[in-house]
């Protein structure tokens, strides 16, 4: 867990859980150890057991706080603490101190319970609470001291209360840990999503621009001897395309670049014509949300790039319309090659982005004809 954000809560929980339990043991048992009316052997054994159990409580609960709810019960300290609790009980119970003997065992039951699964934890606490009524009741009956009710009910109450006092704050601590872990995972996912978005945007820009630059450079190389003036014009367009690619890349880095559907249709028609492809357009202008225009612009750019990269097309058609509140874009071409990129940052990545925006992207092949169809809600939701 992030200690920077939870330092205050950690300190508070430490004082509430390990600190308060250690203080309870010291206050309850320490006063009894210092009582001169208590036999010296009982005081001596109780003092040693008190030191051991306080150390076990501090170590075990501190480990539990640091490691979280998945930690296993360590060896050594639980046994030492349980034996110390048993010694405290064995010293106080024969002297009919019904309010003290259960304190040490109750604290150790609560500490051990923090390491268990919920079902095992409930069984331990319930069993210890029920059994706590037996020793005091037996001693009171044998002594016939008239304190049977107190001797029977106080130890179970003490066991249940100590368990509640320990497990309650630890439950809050575990919840805080889960929330902190969820926040960390959410932050990591946000970073990954931003990286994927940046990669997709970069692919949209560089893939299209570089493909067109390569096409026009090849055309200029063929024209340099037969039509020098047109070759110069084509290279001028190559220069402009390179400048546009640089500008768009900077815009992506700064985070404010948006693809325009109108510009992409115009640019695709011009580029396809330069490649000798007869591009026919059927457009029905309509106003749609900026986010929808951006996504359809990305589809138009990817479709045009795939026509240039993966086909030997002679003709292509571009259809755009808005019908019944849905904006539809359809790009079709003949001469389909082995197939465009439908993995990674290609059409499949675009399909996921349209799906997130409430739209659908599909592509089909019929003989040598390849068709890309995109639809997305054309009204603000």
């Amino acid at each position: 867990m992030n200690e920077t954000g939870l330092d205050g809560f950690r300190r508070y929980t430490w004082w509430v859980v390990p600190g308060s339990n250690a203080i309870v043991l010291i206050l309850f048992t320490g006063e009894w150890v210092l009582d001169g009316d208590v036999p010296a052997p009982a005081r001596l054994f109780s003092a040693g057991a008190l030191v051991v159990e306080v150390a076990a409580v501090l170590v075990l609960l501190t480990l539990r706080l640091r490691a979280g709810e998945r930690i296993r019960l360590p060896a050594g300290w639980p046994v030492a603490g349980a034996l110390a609790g048993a010694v405290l009980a064995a010293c106080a119970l024969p002297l009919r101190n019904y309010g003290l003997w259960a304190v040490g065992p109750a604290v150790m039951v609560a500490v051990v319970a923090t390491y268990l699964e919920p079902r095992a934890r409930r069984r331990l606490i319930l069993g210890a609470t029920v059994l706590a009524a037996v020793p005091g009741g037996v001693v009171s009956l044998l002594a016939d001291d008239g304190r049977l009710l107190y001797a029977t009910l106080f130890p179970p109450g003490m066991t249940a209360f100590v368990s509640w006092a320990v497990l309650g704050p630890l439950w809050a601590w575990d919840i805080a840990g889960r929330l902190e872990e969820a926040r960390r995972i959410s932050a990591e996912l946000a970073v990954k999503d931003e990286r994927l978005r940046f990669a997709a945007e970069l692919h949209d820009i560089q893939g299209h621009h570089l493909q067109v630059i390569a096409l026009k450079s090849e055309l200029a190389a063929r024209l340099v001897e037969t039509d020098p003036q047109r070759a110069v014009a084509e290279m001028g367009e190559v220069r402009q395309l390179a400048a546009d690619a640089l500008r768009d890349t900077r815009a992506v880095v700064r985070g404010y670049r948006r693809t325009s559907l109108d510009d992409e249709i115009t640019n695709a028609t011009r580029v396809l014509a330069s490649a000798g492809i007869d591009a026919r357009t059927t457009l029905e202008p309509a106003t749609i949300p900026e986010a929808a225009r951006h996504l359809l612009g990305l589809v138009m750019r990817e479709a045009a790039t795939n026509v240039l990269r993966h086909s030997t097309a002679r003709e292509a058609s571009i259809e755009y319309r808005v019908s019944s509140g849905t904006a539809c874009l359809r790009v079709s071409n003949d001469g389909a090659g082995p197939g465009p990129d439908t993995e990674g940052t290609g059409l499949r990545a675009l399909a996921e982005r349209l799906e997130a925006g409430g739209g659908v992207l599909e592509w089909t092949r019929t003989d040598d004809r390849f068709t890309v169809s995109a639809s997305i809600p054309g009204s603000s939701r």
Side-chain angles (χ1 to χ4, degrees):
M1 284 182 285
N2 186 345
E3 295 190 11
T4 302
L6 294 178
D7 272 347
F9 188 41
R10 183 184 293 277
R11 286 192 295 270
Y12 168 79
T13 307
W14 191 91
W15 281 109
V16 167
V17 183
S20 64
N21 279 277
I23 290 173
V24 165
L25 282 169
I26 292 172
L27 290 179
F28 273 76
T29 308
E31 181 183 5
W32 191 72
V33 168
L34 298 176
D35 189 349
D37 294 335
V38 177
R43 294 167 59 192
L44 180 63
F45 280 110
S46 295
L50 176 62
V51 172
V52 173
E53 184 165 358
V54 167
V57 167
L58 291 177
V59 170
L60 290 172
L61 289 180
T62 301
L63 285 175
R64 175 62 173 77
L65 283 174
R66 288 179 178 176
E69 54 189 321
R70 297 183 181 88
I71 187 175
R72 293 183 178 180
L73 185 67
W77 281 110
V79 176
L83 290 175
V87 170
L88 289 175
C91 290
L93 188 57
L95 299 177
R96 300 199 301 277
N97 192 330
Y98 304 123
L100 177 64
W101 79 263
V103 174
V107 170
M108 284 310 302
V109 166
V111 171
V112 172
T114 63
Y115 284 83
L116 303 180
E117 295 294 328
R119 181 176 297 179
R121 181 184 304 165
R122 288 191 293 268
R123 289 176 178 173
L124 173 63
I125 294 174
L126 180 60
T129 301
V130 172
L131 290 175
V134 176
V138 171
V139 171
S140 180
L141 282 174
L142 293 176
D144 193 20
D145 56 8
R147 303 173 66 190
L148 178 62
L149 187 63
Y150 175 73
T152 304
L153 297 182
F154 184 82
M158 172 65 70
T159 303
F161 175 78
V162 171
S163 299
W164 172 80
V166 172
L167 294 175
L170 271 179
W171 174 78
W173 173 253
D174 291 337
I175 294 296
R178 294 173 199 168
L179 292 175
E180 182 67 15
E181 180 69 9
R183 185 206 61 79
R184 183 188 64 80
I185 294 174
S186 177
E188 291 180 356
L189 289 176
V191 171
K192 292 179 180 178
D193 287 343
E194 180 61 18
R195 288 174 178 171
L196 290 175
R197 182 202 65 80
F198 183 82
E201 291 283 353
L202 199 60
H203 169 269
D204 294 337
I205 294 170
Q206 300 293 5
H208 179 77
H209 281 306
L210 292 176
Q211 186 67 30
V212 177
I213 287 172
L215 173 68
K216 286 189 169 292
S217 299
E218 182 181 353
L219 179 60
R222 293 201 306 264
L223 294 173
V224 70
E225 294 183 358
T226 59
D227 193 345
Q229 290 185 346
R230 187 179 172 189
V232 171
E234 293 292 341
M235 289 307 298
E237 290 192 21
V238 168
R239 179 181 178 183
Q240 183 60 47
L241 284 167
D244 291 344
L246 181 60
R247 183 193 67 244
D248 288 346
T249 302
R250 288 173 177 168
V252 168
V253 173
R254 293 169 185 167
Y256 57 77
R257 176 185 174 274
R258 303 293 288 179
T259 301
S260 168
L261 174 60
D262 298 333
D263 291 344
E264 291 302 330
I265 292 177
T266 301
N267 183 59
T269 304
R270 179 172 56 84
V271 170
L272 293 175
S274 297
I277 300 172
D278 181 15
R280 302 175 182 178
T281 59
T282 302
L283 308 177
E284 298 179 5
T287 302
I288 62 174
E290 178 65 22
R293 300 188 74 83
H294 172 67
L295 289 173
L296 291 179
L298 294 177
V299 173
M300 183 68 254
R301 170 169 287 195
E302 180 68 18
T305 301
N306 284 333
V307 172
L308 295 173
R309 182 183 298 170
H310 300 290
S311 76
T312 57
R314 289 298 179 182
E315 61 91 9
S317 64
I318 302 170
E319 301 176 15
Y320 170 66
R321 68 182 186 279
V322 178
S323 176
S324 301
T326 301
C328 301
L329 176 66
R330 184 173 181 272
V331 182
S332 178
N333 64 275
D334 63 356
D341 174 25
T342 59
E343 303 291 341
T345 55
L347 290 175
R348 194 168 301 279
L350 276 177
E352 294 174 358
R353 296 176 69 175
L354 257 74
E355 182 179 356
V360 176
L361 177 64
E362 300 175 332
W363 51 92
T364 58
R365 180 193 300 272
T366 304
D367 296 330
D368 71 336
R369 195 161 197 85
F370 192 81
T371 303
V372 176
S373 302
S375 61
I376 193 169
S379 57
S380 300
R381 293 183 296 173

